[in-house]
Amino acid sequence: MTNWFEEESKYYMPTFKRLPVTLVRGQGNLVWDENGKEYLDFVAGWAVNSLGHCHPVVVEAVCQQVNQLIHTSNSYYTIPQLKLAKLLVENSCMDKVFCCNSGTEATEGAVKLARRYGHRYLNGAYEVITTLGSFHGRTLAMVSASGQTRHQAPYTPLPSGFVNVEFNNIEALKAATTEKTCAVMLEPVQGEGGVNTADYAYMRAIREWCDEKNILMMLDEVQTGIGRTGELFAYMHFGIEPDIITLAKGLGSGLPVGAIAAREHASVFAAGEHGSTFGGNPVTCATAFATVSYIIENQLPKHAALMGKLLSEGLENLAKRYEIVTSHRGIGLLQALVFNKDIAEELVLKCLENGLLINRLKPNAIRFMPSLIITREEIEKGLSLLEKSLKGF
Ligand SMILES: Cc1ncc(COP(=O)(O)O)c(C=O)c1O
């Protein structure tokens, strides 16, 4: 049998700190390794497999489109791309969509859009205010936008044009706004930064401030979008309408597709000012269209809210009974459990041994981001496997 761990160290750049398991198959909320061992998946491809693994709707969409038209140039009209754009527009406050291939591309594209807006309407203002602890992607510009020095330090000097301010602090944001500011960009829930939810009043105050200053409010919904938080888009929890949102992860339930969506006044790209060879590809867009349609038709955001409540009650229960658990936080199916010791790495390994996939969020915290089709029984099973794994600590 091939030793894939050895092959990896020989042939692959060591950018990932991988767990000692090689996954070969998935169905629903279960995955199997090469030895046939089964795992309950509470990571879902890092909040990507919104309909779990190999959902028939996803498989059907991929197969159908692969047999019809896999790729053509964006010089031509293609139907899946336009159907997806229409679906996203009809189910949000947005008016126009641009499709890309990843979360990073979506946020980078959104920043370009904001700069274009600045050139057009704000005397060339180009600066984007982002928040400390945020994560917006891996290109140099998005590393610069993300307020996490550990991602920035290896790559200095970084592109300029970003100001990082404290999250959930409206005064800091106001103080950082100058005549150079064209937009504010933040995640409604900072996913990578620790599952930190924006305060209701903070989000509303940002909306008001952006209106007052005529600057754009951009929400990075790459992790929170498409139902994960219990609404189709997380901005819906706050009773506000952002000017731009970015999407990826759960959009294609496993296929690489991202999107920038903008309201009419913020949709300022002219022909030739932005583009992509693969973005808007028929296969990824047909799959995203099938995924989002299924999520809407089956009211999966509501289901995510219900399952999230169950998960949160279970975590609360653990917090009451285990001294090592200090708190839990999150919303819908994006939640974290925090410990008073740095046990996350070991706990993730213990869970793996016991057949549960969870994510190490911080040295002292783990994250749960299962698919939107997770069932009550699976949440209960996950909690019980987690408790079994916790017992040794
Ligand atoms: C909020 C947010 N934005 C952007 C990204 C980058 O997405 P991708 O890895 O698809 O480029 C991520 C990835 O975790 C994310 O959570």
Side-chain angles (χ1 to χ4, degrees):
M1 209 165 154
T2 310
N3 185 329
W4 295 110
F5 304 169
E6 271 175 23
E7 300 282 297
E8 202 259 11
S9 64
K10 225 169 164 179
Y11 300 117
Y12 208 86
M13 292 191 193
T15 56
F16 299 103
K17 196 161 179 237
R18 301 190 204 257
L19 291 160
V21 61
T22 307
L23 299 176
V24 296
R25 190 164 72 84
Q27 192 63 55
N29 294 305
L30 299 175
V31 285
W32 288 268
D33 70 15
E34 58 180 342
N35 303 310
K37 181 173 170 181
E38 180 181 291
Y39 304 85
L40 179 60
D41 189 359
F42 272 32
V43 177
W46 216 278
V48 165
N49 302 98
S50 39
L51 300 186
H53 296 275
C54 300
H55 192 285
V57 158
V58 173
V59 174
E60 165 71 22
V62 173
C63 293
Q64 202 277 335
Q65 191 58 46
V66 158
N67 276 306
Q68 192 173 330
L69 180 68
I70 295 180
H71 182 78
T72 184
S73 158
N74 272 314
S75 305
Y76 311 105
Y77 294 87
T78 49
I79 296 168
Q81 182 186 103
L82 300 175
K83 282 173 68 175
L84 174 63
K86 184 175 181 208
L87 183 68
L88 292 173
V89 164
E90 286 181 348
N91 288 280
S92 70
C93 64
M94 298 293 150
D95 299 304
K96 292 275 161 58
V97 170
F98 176 88
C99 293
C100 55
N101 310 285
S102 68
T104 306
E105 274 180 63
T107 49
E108 174 106 17
V111 167
K112 283 176 74 180
L113 193 54
R115 283 198 178 193
R116 206 64 204 87
Y117 184 88
H119 285 200
R120 209 175 267 195
Y121 300 119
L122 303 170
N123 299 318
Y126 61 91
E127 220 163 61
V128 176
I129 301 176
T130 61
T131 61
L132 289 169
S134 62
F135 184 80
H136 299 295
R138 299 279 189 175
T139 55
L140 278 176
M142 288 310 96
V143 163
S144 188
S146 303
Q148 296 196 45
T149 44
R150 75 192 166 100
H151 292 305
Q152 298 176 335
Y155 303 110
T156 52
L158 294 171
S160 57
F162 300 96
V163 185
N164 307 141
V165 300
E166 195 184 1
F167 185 62
N168 268 333
N169 181 342
I170 188 67
E171 293 313 321
L173 194 149
K174 286 183 177 175
T177 309
T178 67
E179 73 286 349
K180 285 189 284 181
T181 310
C182 63
V184 174
M185 178 165 77
L186 76 157
E187 302 154 82
V189 183
Q190 289 186 331
E192 301 312 297
V195 186
N196 311 311
T197 305
D199 295 337
Y200 183 81
Y202 175 63
M203 287 288 257
R204 294 181 69 88
I206 295 178
R207 179 66 278 174
E208 269 176 33
W209 182 247
C210 288
D211 285 342
E212 192 180 321
K213 294 289 166 188
N214 189 26
I215 57 177
L216 298 174
M217 179 176 190
M218 310 203 288
L219 292 185
D220 179 348
E221 292 235 25
V222 164
Q223 191 156 152
T224 55
I226 319 294
R228 174 149 303 277
T229 65
E231 291 282 1
L232 190 57
F233 303 103
Y235 76 77
M236 293 169 169
H237 290 288
F238 302 93
I240 52 149
E241 295 190 340
D243 301 302
I244 296 173
I245 57 171
T246 56
L247 304 169
K249 291 194 181 285
L251 181 58
S253 196
L255 263 72
V257 51
I260 311 167
R263 283 162 66 198
E264 196 65 55
H265 64 274
S267 174
V268 291
F269 283 144
E273 288 182 350
H274 194 50
S276 171
T277 298
F278 288 115
N281 165 282
V283 178
T284 55
C285 285
T287 312
F289 177 79
T291 300
V292 179
S293 301
Y294 186 91
I295 287 172
I296 293 168
E297 281 158 21
N298 292 280
Q299 298 186 17
L300 291 191
K302 206 185 241 181
H303 179 72
L306 277 174
M307 293 303 104
K309 187 163 177 282
L310 202 66
L311 178 59
S312 152
E313 284 163 8
L315 298 179
E316 175 65 26
N317 195 316
L318 288 178
K320 277 190 191 136
R321 289 184 297 114
Y322 289 82
E323 217 184 290
I324 199 162
V325 179
T326 52
S327 61
H328 66 96
R329 57 177 178 250
I331 171 169
L333 290 173
L334 182 55
Q335 304 213 15
L337 189 64
V338 186
F339 308 101
N340 62 15
K341 287 197 188 105
D342 290 350
I343 64 160
E345 198 159 331
E346 255 186 282
L347 179 60
V348 166
L349 286 170
K350 195 75 199 158
C351 285
L352 192 69
E353 195 185 310
N354 289 326
L356 175 68
L357 302 188
I358 49 163
N359 166 245
R360 174 205 165 280
L361 179 63
K362 302 223 166 228
N364 70 334
I366 56 173
R367 175 170 39 172
F368 310 89
M369 40 190 165
S371 89
L372 308 189
I373 59 159
I374 197 86
T375 63
R376 175 176 290 271
E377 292 72 32
E378 286 168 333
I379 293 277
E380 282 161 5
K381 183 165 177 213
L383 284 165
S384 117
L385 289 172
L386 176 63
E387 178 159 12
K388 180 177 167 193
S389 311
L390 250 184
K391 280 197 166 123
F393 289 91

